[in-house]
Amino acid sequence: MSYVAPSNQPRPRSSPLVWFLRFVLLSSIGAVLLALLLSILLIAWQVVLRDRVVLGVHVGGVDLSGMTAAEAAAALDEEFAPLTEKIYVLRDGERAWQARGSELGLRIATEDMLDRAFALGHSGEAFADIMAQSRAWISGERQPARLVLDENVTLDYLRLLASQIKRDRQDASLRIVDGEAQVQAGVTGRALNIAATLARLTASLRASAEGADIELVVDERGPRLWNVEEAALRLGTALSGPVQLFASDREGGPLGPWTVSPEQIRALLSVTLREDGAGKRYDVSINAEAFSEFLRSLAPGLIIIPVDGRFDFNPRTGELIALSPSRGGRELNIEKTIARLEEAVFSREARLAPMVFDYSLPRYHEGISAAALGIKELVAEATTYYWGSRQNRRSNIAVGAGKLNGIIIAPGEEFAFNQHLGDITPEAGFVDGAVIFGARTVTGIGGGICQVSTTVFRAAFSGGFAITERNSHGYRVGYYEYAGAGPGLDAAIWQPTSDLRFLNNTPHHLLIESEFMGAKDALQFRFYSTRHWRTVLEPPIIRDIVEAPPPRFEENRDLLAGQTRQVDYAAQGADVWVYRNVYDRAGNLVKRDQAYTHYQPWRAVFEVAPGDPRLEAEAGAE
């Protein structure tokens, strides 16, 4: 065995140039291989897409990406074929024919849509195709759907209809048969005007593929002589029985009927012979205008006033919340009702004539939005308190406030308190309470409602709205000066003579909300709109103060000896001015006006039992 000792000589190292050449060689080989791989992939992708729609192509909203011609055609047919099955109704008076769009020549331009879809990325120019395919894949290619109309098919369908509509004109004839007169009525000739109907139908088909009602154009030629039998039949029909008018109330219940007797009809009938270009004929007519006065007398009782919906405003969402539904209105259309009555007179079967009404929509319905009305924020509010009020007064305040909740006032429209409140009656929910009548506070229906009008007035006044009518109380009422509120901002109403009115003198609608806060003994009104200005109220100016007269004592036989009941409270008289300054958005003063009030001095009144010594003192004073 031989042994070779390891060599201690170092191995030779490769130079940097050799390494660089190796790197260049390997990089070149890698680039060539990568380019070859990409080329193979592109060629494979083009082979895959050779018979398919490129990715990202949509036709009429249908994604045809990667589909073959058969698959794409099936997808287009599935999506658009229903459009050609929409029903078109062709009418000739009371007759009607229904036809699908396909029967009228409407079809899908499938081949054209496919050609346009396949044209993208299949031009045969490799680079252009790759770029087009890339753009479609990245950004999408959307092409419109297309329907075409074959007018030859349309024309064939109209010719079929023409054969069903056609009727030859026949003149009336009179013959003697077995000693009796036999009349053959004349017949009007009718023919479909194919050219005019084709123009109307094709215009409708091209305008929309959603189906439509289309009136056929029919030419008519009347006979030259009408028979007297028709006139006799018409006359007999008119006198065959009474005619009844009827209507329905707002709940759909029946109203009427109102009966027109054969005798009344006979008095209004007339028979005339006239001649025109079509020949001679007898006309039997009725002077139905004679019923117009009768219908005018009925009309007021048949009116239904449209009712606007009422709403709350949600400041968080900016949306309206319906509180009560709206209701449409109506008025009797006398002219059309007379025409309906005339039709019934000459109808043997339908001798009932429903009245015709003109219907009107409410201004504010459940579908309206706050944004459309310019209602977007709180623009004014007022709160008053009724601490110590009796239950009846509290009840009237709650009922009155509820009747004003959710009202919308249009720009330029005047708010009238009494109109929106309605009649103050027990039927409307009001009860007895203390009211100011003459120089006394007495018991009457609706006592306390002035707390509602006062709160509305304060909101309107502080909101800068134009006050067109305001009436103050005869004396200072303590309820309206609670919580630091000064005098001079109360508003009294008395139906029907005294009202509270203000004008919405802004370009935006105004929503009035009320809230009866029983737990706090408070009433609040909130006005929502778009802020148009800013209002600053100055402290009240109180002058010419007059002290209250001495109290009065009156006998009440229902009281026991020693019992006393106060029915009126002392109040100073005074003249009060409250000025307001209205500024525009730029801070410019645009209006300065005032609310002026003259308060009478008011004496306290006490009821006492018979024999009370204060009654003698009262009598002596008088």
Side-chain angles (χ1 to χ4, degrees):
M1 171 180 294
S2 61
Y3 172 76
V4 179
S7 174
N8 291 324
Q9 297 296 322
R11 293 183 180 180
R13 292 183 178 179
S14 299
S15 68
L17 179 61
V18 172
W19 282 109
F20 175 74
L21 292 175
R22 288 176 181 174
F23 174 75
V24 170
L25 178 62
L26 291 175
S27 296
S28 300
I29 294 171
V32 170
L33 291 175
L34 179 61
L36 180 61
L37 178 61
L38 289 176
S39 299
I40 293 172
L41 289 176
L42 284 175
I43 293 170
W45 181 246
Q46 294 303 310
V47 171
V48 169
L49 292 181
R50 180 178 57 192
D51 296 321
R52 295 179 181 272
V53 179
V54 301
L55 299 184
V57 174
H58 295 73
V59 175
V62 179
D63 187 0
L64 302 183
S65 300
M67 291 188 184
T68 64
E71 291 170 342
L76 292 174
D77 286 342
E78 180 180 359
E79 177 70 19
F80 300 112
L83 294 179
T84 66
E85 301 305 305
K86 298 291 184 180
I87 299 299
Y88 293 80
V89 181
L90 309 178
R91 299 188 180 278
D92 173 25
E94 297 182 355
R95 300 176 68 188
W97 294 263
Q98 293 185 353
R100 294 187 297 274
S102 58
E103 295 178 279
L104 297 173
L106 194 64
R107 64 178 180 81
I108 308 168
T110 306
E111 294 182 3
D112 178 69
M113 291 189 288
L114 286 177
D115 288 344
R116 287 186 289 115
F118 270 95
L120 182 69
H122 293 90
S123 66
E125 297 180 8
F127 182 75
D129 285 346
I130 291 172
M131 294 303 294
Q133 291 169 9
S134 300
R135 284 194 300 270
W137 180 51
I138 295 172
S139 303
E141 170 72 14
R142 301 190 178 275
Q143 300 177 355
R146 185 164 175 257
L147 300 179
V148 295
L149 179 66
D150 188 341
E151 290 192 13
N152 291 324
V153 176
T154 313
L155 189 60
D156 289 341
Y157 188 88
L158 291 181
R159 285 173 181 151
L160 178 63
L161 286 189
S163 64
Q164 300 177 37
I165 293 171
K166 182 180 179 181
R167 184 175 66 199
D168 293 332
R169 180 179 69 174
Q170 297 179 9
D171 291 334
S173 63
L174 176 63
R175 295 188 304 161
I176 304 298
V177 178
D178 296 331
E180 293 184 2
Q182 186 180 79
V183 177
Q184 182 175 350
V187 176
T188 299
R190 306 183 81 250
L192 178 66
N193 188 324
I194 293 179
T197 301
L198 178 64
R200 181 178 296 182
L201 180 55
T202 54
S204 178
L205 288 168
R206 288 197 171 99
S208 171
E210 293 299 322
D213 273 28
I214 301 164
E215 192 69 28
L216 299 173
V217 182
V218 178
D219 297 330
E220 295 187 347
R221 297 180 63 202
R224 288 182 289 271
L225 179 64
W226 288 101
N227 65 331
V228 294
E229 188 177 83
E230 181 185 342
L233 180 62
R234 184 172 172 84
L235 189 59
T237 298
L239 300 174
S240 62
V243 170
Q244 292 184 324
L245 280 167
F246 68 93
S248 59
D249 59 22
R250 67 181 61 187
E251 283 77 30
L255 292 176
W258 296 271
T259 302
V260 182
S261 68
E263 291 73 23
Q264 291 173 309
I265 295 172
R266 182 184 295 110
L268 299 174
L269 286 173
S270 63
V271 181
T272 57
L273 179 65
R274 69 180 179 87
E275 182 174 0
D276 54 25
K280 295 181 179 181
R281 60 183 296 169
Y282 283 101
D283 274 347
V284 178
S285 60
I286 185 171
N287 179 24
E289 286 293 329
F291 296 109
S292 60
E293 191 63 34
F294 170 69
L295 291 175
R296 289 190 185 94
S297 69
L298 293 178
L302 300 172
I303 290 175
I304 296 178
I305 304 298
V307 176
D308 290 329
R310 294 200 178 194
F311 304 88
D312 264 347
F313 178 72
N314 186 329
R316 185 177 60 82
T317 64
E319 296 296 332
L320 295 176
I321 303 170
L323 297 177
S324 61
S326 61
R327 184 184 67 211
R330 74 177 186 188
E331 289 186 0
L332 180 64
N333 188 314
I334 295 177
E335 181 180 349
K336 291 184 178 180
T337 299
I338 288 175
R340 186 74 60 81
L341 178 61
E342 186 172 356
E343 291 176 7
V345 165
F346 294 110
S347 172
R348 186 168 292 275
E349 294 82 13
R351 299 190 71 77
L352 295 175
M355 292 183 173
V356 181
F357 294 92
D358 293 327
Y359 293 90
S360 56
L361 294 174
R363 294 177 301 171
Y364 310 120
H365 49 82
E366 290 75 0
I368 203 162
S369 69
L373 300 177
I375 297 172
K376 66 178 185 179
E377 59 190 325
L378 183 70
V379 297
E381 68 176 339
T383 305
T384 61
Y385 298 88
Y386 44 88
W387 300 320
S389 292
R390 296 180 180 179
Q391 181 56 43
N392 279 16
R393 187 174 191 273
R394 295 165 61 92
S395 176
N396 288 332
I397 293 172
V399 171
K403 292 181 180 294
L404 301 179
N405 188 35
I407 294 170
I408 295 176
I409 309 299
E413 182 181 354
E414 185 181 50
F415 167 88
F417 185 91
N418 282 334
Q419 174 189 341
H420 291 291
L421 181 72
D423 294 335
I424 301 176
T425 62
E427 292 76 15
F430 295 100
V431 295
D432 284 340
V435 297
I436 299 175
F437 183 75
R440 286 296 307 275
T441 300
V442 299
T443 299
I445 294 292
I449 201 66
C450 288
Q451 179 119 17
V452 182
S453 57
T454 292
T455 314
V456 173
F457 167 67
R458 290 183 180 182
F461 192 68
S462 66
F465 297 96
I467 309 301
T468 53
E469 181 181 350
R470 174 250 177 177
N471 302 279
S472 64
H473 290 82
Y475 66 91
R476 291 173 66 173
V477 180
Y479 291 118
Y480 308 141
E481 297 183 27
Y482 284 159
L489 289 180
D490 60 294
I493 65 103
W494 185 267
Q495 294 182 347
T497 56
S498 300
D499 203 354
L500 167 65
R501 296 171 179 267
F502 69 85
L503 188 69
N504 179 9
N505 51 339
T506 76
H508 312 287
H509 287 76
L510 169 66
L511 171 64
I512 298 177
E513 282 189 11
S514 68
E515 185 175 359
F516 178 82
M517 297 178 283
K520 299 180 180 179
D521 286 347
L523 173 66
Q524 185 176 82
F525 273 85
R526 297 182 293 273
F527 288 7
Y528 290 98
S529 185
T530 296
R531 191 169 298 282
H532 191 62
W533 41 50
R534 180 175 62 88
T535 305
V536 177
L537 301 186
E538 298 179 7
I541 300 173
I542 306 174
R543 296 176 180 170
D544 302 324
I545 297 175
V546 179
E547 294 301 323
R552 178 190 297 275
F553 295 90
E554 298 178 347
E555 182 181 283
N556 185 337
R557 296 183 180 275
D558 294 330
L559 298 179
L560 299 176
Q563 289 184 325
T564 301
R565 185 172 68 182
Q566 187 171 4
V567 294
D568 246 330
Y569 295 84
Q572 293 179 329
D575 289 321
V576 181
W577 290 264
V578 178
Y579 286 87
R580 68 173 177 178
N581 302 292
V582 182
Y583 301 89
D584 62 19
R585 292 183 177 180
N588 302 311
L589 180 66
V590 295
K591 180 171 64 176
R592 186 172 191 267
D593 58 4
Q594 62 179 317
Y596 166 73
T597 308
H598 173 70
Y599 292 117
Q600 304 174 37
W602 205 259
R603 73 170 69 239
V605 178
F606 297 89
E607 293 181 346
V608 295
D612 191 293
R614 289 172 290 187
L615 292 173
E616 296 179 2
E618 186 74 31
E622 293 179 353

